[in-house]
Structure formats: C-alpha cells, structure tokens
C-alpha cells in the first residue's frame, strides 16, 4: 500500500512558503493586465482624437478656402472705383480749386451716383493735404466731408506708392471698414487721392449663423472681424510698445482698449493647426489661411468637445475590447494549462499503472516460485511421513523375495525346474513392483513446473489399487475397472496427483 500511495501521489501539496511568491506573481500579472487595458484605452483615444483633429483641419481648410474666396472677391469688386475717378474732369477741377463749394457739391453728387451703382460703403476725394474735398455721403450724419485724414496710413501710402489699403474704424461714423486709396495724377503729378470704403459687416452676420467660430486677423494680429462680439478688436497676443504707438497714431481700432484674448496655446502641429484653450475653458482647434495678399489671416476655430467625446467613447471601447481579449487569452491559457495538467496526470497515472503492472508481474512470479517451493516442501514433508509406511511396504516384498529366492534354490537343488521358474517369475514381479513404487517416490524429490490442467481423480485410486491391491480391498475401495468406467476430472496441479498414490 505504501508503494501504491507513492505511485499515485505524483504531486506534493503546496508549501506555505510558496504562497507569497504566488501572490506576488498574481499581483504583477494583474498590474500588467491593467496597464495593457489602460494603454489600449489611451491608444484608442489618442488615435481617434488625432484623426478627429485631422478631419477637422481638412474640413476647416475647405471652409476657409470658401470664405477667403468670398472675402477676396468682395474686396476686389471695389478696387476699380478709385482709379475710375481719374477719368473725371470735374474731380481734377475740384483738386485745382479745393475751396469751391459748387465744385465740392457737384463732385459729391457725382460720387454718390457712382457709389449707388457700386454698392460701396462710401466714396470720397481727398487733397494732397489729407482734407476731404468731396464725399458720397456728404448729406449724411457722420460724413468725412471736411475732415482731415492725413493721419490715416492709406493716405500716406497712396502719396508714396500710388496705392494704399487700410482697415479701421471710421472716425466720424464709428463704423469699421476697409479703405482702398488711389493717387489721382495729372501729368505725373499727384493732385489728390480717391478713397473707397468697403463695409464687411455682412461677413460677420453670416459667420454667426454657422457652427464654427471665424476670425479675421490683420497684420498686427488683432481681430478686426469676429463671429463673437467679445473677440472683436482684441489681439491674439500682447502688443509691443512700438505697435501700440503706431496704433495710437493711425487709430485703426477706434477707442477699444485692445485687451488680449487670453488664449492659452496648447500645441502647434506641422500642418499649421494649433490647439488653444479660450478664457472660458473651451478647447479649440485653430486653422488659418492667409488672404488679401498675405496681409490678413482668416482663422477658423473648431470646438474639440465633440471629437474629444467620440475619442473618449472609442477609448472606453478599446479598453473594454482589450479587457475582453485578455480574459479570452486567460481562458485559453487556463484551458491549455488544464489540458497540460490533465495530460501530465494521465502520463503519471499511466506510468504508475505500468509500474504497478510490472510490480504485479514480479510479485506473481515471486508468489508462483514461493508456491512451487511450498509444494516441493510439502512433497518432502509427505515423503518423510511416508517413509515409515514405505519401509513397511518394502519389507513385505523383500521378505517375499527372500522366501521366493530361498525356495527357488531348494527347488533347483531338488530338480524342480518348473517350480523354480515360477518362483523366479514371482521374484521378477516383486522387483518390478518395487521399481514402480520407488519411481513414484522420485516425483516428491523434484520441483514441478507443469502448468495447471485437468487430471482424472481416478488416477490416484487406480495407482493405489495397483500397488496395494490387498489394502484397497480391505478398505472397501472400488476396483480399477469401476474407477476407469466412472472416472471424473478436476483441475489440479498436473504431476502432483501421484501424492495420493500412497
């Protein structure tokens, strides 16, 4: 039993000292799994967010291209107006006599008629000193007629280079507009300046009806148009002292205090897209497109909240997918270990079974050898017990032999050869009988390895009746003929039936 237990118990019970390393391994595996889930969630969020930003940038560029084309087209509609006045003789007569009220009114009415067809915000003529000599809105409140605008940059630019452009808030009307100036020359000499003012309020009204926020930033990075009123006339970054001095001279923004927008720039990408956080905490993606010969920038702001929410959802889904994948992998690994353990157990059991078979065969052989030894010992013991009886049995034939031999001698001496022959025949029978008896005794002296088989039970009785006929008759045993006819068989050890012959 001890050997069988050692074969079956192929695994030893877990030791107490192995609990702590096992707990540490499980802790490390759990931490690693959590790290993988977190990494998958972060990766899903980051990839989705980046693709969302790229999509926003692509859509923003298309939107900016459309708005830039509309704005540039609107500005280019009025570029011809200042140069058109160069063909009017009345304008040059006014420039020659700037103090003539009749010429001022006549030119102003001419400008008004042209402006009604063109659709500009205003159209007026200035002398080389910057004084406004005629204006299309001469009869309207807030007209620049009679004002000196020499401090405006578009005046000095037209005098210097023949053309000028400027965005600013009107001094008299307080309405913002884009000013285009053109030098009026006669025989190569500049006599005055023709100026057209273009109103851009329609763009702001259109921008308020779209989902995105749009800004128009001038060369000083100050917002001159905005879809939100609180962002208008505010620089995107603090202005330098020199820039503020220039603004104080030209007064492009009226009386606004030019407080910075207070945006926090988060990141700047290579494709020109920036990410900012506004004063109210809203995160925007900023896309820019230069317009107006690179002087201005059209800026479109996309709220990142929708794509961030989508990225969060994708991140959660990615984390859950990673968790499911890890659980599935864990189940597969557990199943693989169970199969491996089962195969190992089966192999151990098979090895134990093979070893048991070997042990059983060895024990069977040992038991068979022991049985043969016991049978042989039994034979020897029976031989010892039968020795006394056998000696007694041998004495009778020997005495008979002695008597028959003596009688044969006497009969020979007397000449009775026939009677002597009978005695000799009797002596031969007695010798053969003794030979058979001693031959049966030799069976007990040797081990028998004969296999088991069916042996007739009548054989021992036949042998006894044959060798001891007298005792068999006295014991009332059946005769040999009866035993032969009524023989039966029983499975006993072949070759050991002779033990019953005595």
């Amino acid at each position: 039993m001890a050997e069988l237990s050692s074969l079956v118990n192929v695994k030893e019970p877990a030791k107490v000292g192995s609990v702590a390393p096992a707990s540490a391994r499980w802790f490390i595996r759990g931490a690693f799994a959590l790290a993988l889930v977190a990494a998958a969630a972060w990766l899903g969020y980051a990839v989705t967010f980046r693709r969302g930003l790229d999509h926003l940038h692509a859509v923003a560029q298309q939107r900016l291209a459309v708005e830039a084309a509309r704005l540039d087209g609107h500005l280019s509609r009025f570029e011809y107006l200042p140069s058109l006045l160069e063909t009017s003789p009345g304008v040059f007569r006014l420039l020659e006599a700037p103090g003539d009220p009749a010429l001022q009114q006549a030119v102003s009415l001419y400008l008004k008629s042209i402006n009604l067809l063109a659709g500009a915000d205003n159209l007026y003529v200035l002398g080389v000193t910057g004084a406004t000599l005629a204006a299309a809105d001469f009869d309207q409140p807030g007209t620049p007629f009679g004002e000196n605008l020499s401090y405006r940059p578009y005046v000095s630019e037209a005098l210097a280079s023949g053309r000028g452009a400027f965005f600013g808030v009107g001094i008299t009307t307080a309405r913002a507009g884009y000013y285009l100036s053109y030098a009026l020359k006669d025989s190569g000499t500049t006599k005055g300046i023709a100026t057209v003012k273009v109103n851009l309020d329609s763009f702001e009204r259109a921008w308020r009806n779209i989902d995105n926020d749009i800004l128009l930033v001038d060369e000083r990075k100050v917002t001159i148009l905005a879809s939100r009123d609180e962002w208008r006339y505010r620089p995107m970054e603090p202005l330098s002292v020199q820039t503020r001095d220039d603004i104080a001279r030209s007064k492009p923004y009226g009386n606004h205090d030019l407080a910075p927008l207070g945006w926090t720039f988060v990141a700047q990408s290579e494709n020109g897209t920036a990410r900012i956080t506004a004063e109210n905490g809203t995160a925007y993606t900023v896309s820019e497109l230069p317009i107006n010969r690179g002087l201005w920038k059209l800026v479109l702001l996309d709220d990142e909240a929708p794509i961030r929410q989508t990225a969060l959802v994708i991140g959660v889904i990615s984390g859950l997918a990673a968790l499911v994948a890890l659980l599935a992998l864990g189940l597969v690994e557990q199943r693989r270990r169970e199969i491996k353990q089962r195969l190992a157990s089966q192999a151990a059991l098979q090895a134990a079974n093979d070893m048991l078979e070997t042990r059983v065969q060895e024990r069977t052989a040992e038991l068979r050898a022991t049985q043969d030894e016991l049978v042989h010992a039994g034979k020897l013991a029976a031989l010892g017990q039968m020795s006394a009886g056998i000696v007694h049995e041998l004495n009778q034939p020997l005495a008979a032999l002695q008597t028959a031999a003596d009688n044969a001698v006497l009969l020979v001496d007397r000449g009775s050869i026939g009677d002597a022959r009978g005695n000799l025949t009797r002596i031969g029978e007695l010798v053969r009988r003794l030979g058979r008896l001693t031959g049966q005794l030799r069976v007990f002296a040797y081990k028998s390895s004969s296999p088991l088989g069916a042996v007739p039970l009548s054989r021992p009785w036949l042998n006894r009746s044959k060798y001891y006929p007298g005792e068999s008759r006295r014991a009332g045993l059946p005769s040999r003929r009866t035993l032969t006819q009524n023989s039966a068989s029983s499975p006993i050890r072949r070759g050991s039936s002779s033990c019953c012959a005595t």
Side-chain angles (χ1 to χ4, degrees):
M1 293 299 293
E3 295 177 355
L4 182 60
S5 300
S6 64
L7 292 174
V8 175
N9 296 331
V10 294
K11 286 187 176 182
E12 295 182 356
K15 297 181 180 180
V16 178
S18 62
V19 175
S23 301
R25 286 195 300 269
W26 278 110
F27 177 78
I28 293 174
R29 291 176 182 175
F32 182 70
L34 289 177
L36 285 180
V37 171
W42 179 86
L43 182 62
Y45 171 82
V47 171
T48 305
F49 187 71
R50 172 51 56 189
R51 290 184 177 179
L53 292 180
D54 293 340
H55 177 71
L56 282 181
H57 177 67
V59 174
Q61 289 299 318
Q62 295 177 0
R63 181 67 180 176
L64 287 174
V66 172
E67 293 297 327
R70 290 180 60 238
L71 192 57
D72 282 334
H74 183 73
L75 296 178
S76 61
R77 285 175 52 195
F78 305 99
E79 288 184 351
Y80 75 95
L81 284 178
S83 60
L84 181 63
L85 299 182
E86 196 173 22
T87 63
S88 174
V91 172
F92 280 98
R93 286 197 299 269
L94 176 62
L95 293 176
E96 292 293 338
D100 190 345
L103 288 175
Q104 291 177 352
Q105 186 175 6
V107 174
S108 295
L109 290 174
Y110 173 70
L111 296 178
K112 185 175 182 179
S113 63
I114 294 177
N115 194 45
L116 288 175
L117 296 175
D121 188 63
N122 201 1
L123 181 63
Y124 49 93
V125 176
L126 293 82
V128 292
T129 61
T132 306
L133 304 179
D137 63 344
F138 70 99
D139 55 352
Q140 299 293 326
T143 178
F145 180 70
E147 297 290 334
N148 191 308
L149 303 177
S150 59
Y151 60 88
R152 290 292 198 180
Y154 63 86
V155 175
S156 58
E157 289 178 3
L159 293 175
S161 61
R163 287 181 178 271
F166 173 76
F167 181 91
V169 177
I171 300 300
T172 57
T173 61
R175 293 197 310 267
Y178 185 60
Y179 298 86
L180 296 172
S181 60
Y182 183 81
L184 300 175
K185 296 182 179 182
D186 184 17
S187 301
T189 303
T190 301
K191 300 296 183 178
I193 301 170
T195 304
V196 59
K197 180 182 179 182
V198 182
N199 194 337
L200 302 178
D201 291 343
S202 60
F203 288 90
E204 281 192 335
R205 290 192 297 269
W207 292 346
R208 293 189 182 101
N209 296 326
I210 63 175
D211 297 332
N212 311 96
D213 289 312
I214 301 180
L215 306 175
L216 183 61
V217 181
D218 64 5
E219 63 276 11
R220 301 181 185 91
K221 295 185 178 181
V222 178
T223 58
I224 55 179
L225 295 179
S227 58
R228 297 190 183 190
D229 294 337
E230 63 269 20
W231 288 349
R232 192 185 301 111
Y233 304 124
R234 298 183 64 181
M236 299 184 70
E237 58 187 28
L239 300 174
S240 64
V241 176
Q242 182 180 358
T243 303
R244 284 188 173 274
D245 293 340
D246 180 63
I247 292 173
R249 286 192 301 269
S250 59
K251 300 178 181 179
Y253 312 114
N255 297 322
H256 294 86
D257 57 0
L258 302 178
L261 285 171
W263 292 351
T264 302
F265 283 83
V266 178
Q268 181 77 36
S269 62
E270 296 179 356
N271 57 8
T273 303
R275 295 177 57 210
I276 66 165
T277 302
E279 292 176 316
N280 58 359
T282 305
Y284 291 99
T285 297
V286 180
S287 300
E288 299 178 350
L289 184 65
I291 64 170
N292 193 19
R293 298 181 296 276
L295 296 176
W296 296 347
K297 284 185 179 181
L298 197 60
V299 180
L300 188 142
L301 288 82
D302 288 293
D303 192 351
E304 294 182 357
I307 62 171
R308 191 180 298 276
Q309 185 176 3
T310 303
L312 285 174
V313 173
I314 298 300
V316 172
I317 293 175
S318 300
L320 292 177
L323 181 60
V324 171
L326 287 176
L327 290 176
L329 184 61
L331 291 177
V332 172
E333 181 65 18
Q334 183 178 4
R335 180 63 178 171
R336 187 186 67 82
R337 290 182 179 180
E338 289 178 356
I339 294 174
K340 183 178 179 181
Q341 185 177 3
R342 186 181 303 170
L343 293 176
S345 300
Q346 290 179 355
L349 289 175
Q350 184 63 36
N353 186 30
D354 295 341
M355 189 174 293
L356 283 175
E357 287 289 338
T358 304
R359 294 288 180 85
V360 168
Q361 292 177 1
E362 292 176 355
R363 292 297 177 89
T364 301
E366 293 176 0
L367 290 174
R368 187 172 295 166
T370 304
Q371 184 181 7
D372 293 340
E373 292 289 342
L374 291 175
V375 170
H376 181 62
K379 289 180 180 181
L380 294 178
L383 182 61
Q385 293 176 2
M386 291 186 294
S387 296
I390 291 172
V391 171
H392 176 71
E393 294 294 334
L394 289 177
N395 285 335
Q396 291 180 358
L398 289 175
L401 285 174
Q402 184 66 41
T403 302
D406 292 342
N407 290 334
V409 172
L410 292 175
L411 290 175
V412 171
D413 291 339
R414 293 177 181 177
S416 300
I417 300 302
D419 294 333
R421 183 179 292 106
N423 285 343
L424 293 175
T425 302
R426 178 61 178 168
I427 290 171
E429 292 177 355
L430 291 172
V431 170
R432 285 192 294 274
R433 177 182 175 185
L434 292 173
R436 286 194 298 272
L437 182 61
T438 57
Q440 290 293 325
L441 293 178
R442 283 197 302 271
V443 176
F444 293 92
Y446 301 100
K447 296 180 182 180
S448 177
S449 59
S450 302
L452 295 177
V455 178
L457 293 176
S458 60
R459 183 180 297 173
W461 302 107
L462 290 173
N463 292 335
R464 184 176 180 86
S465 300
K466 180 178 179 181
Y467 298 132
Y468 307 105
E471 293 182 2
S472 299
R473 286 193 298 272
R474 288 192 298 272
L477 298 175
S479 63
R480 294 179 62 187
R481 180 175 299 175
T482 302
L483 291 172
T484 304
Q485 294 175 356
N486 300 316
S487 61
S489 61
S490 176
I492 62 175
R493 180 83 172 174
R494 184 180 299 275
S496 61
S497 60
S498 299
C499 65
C500 301
T502 58

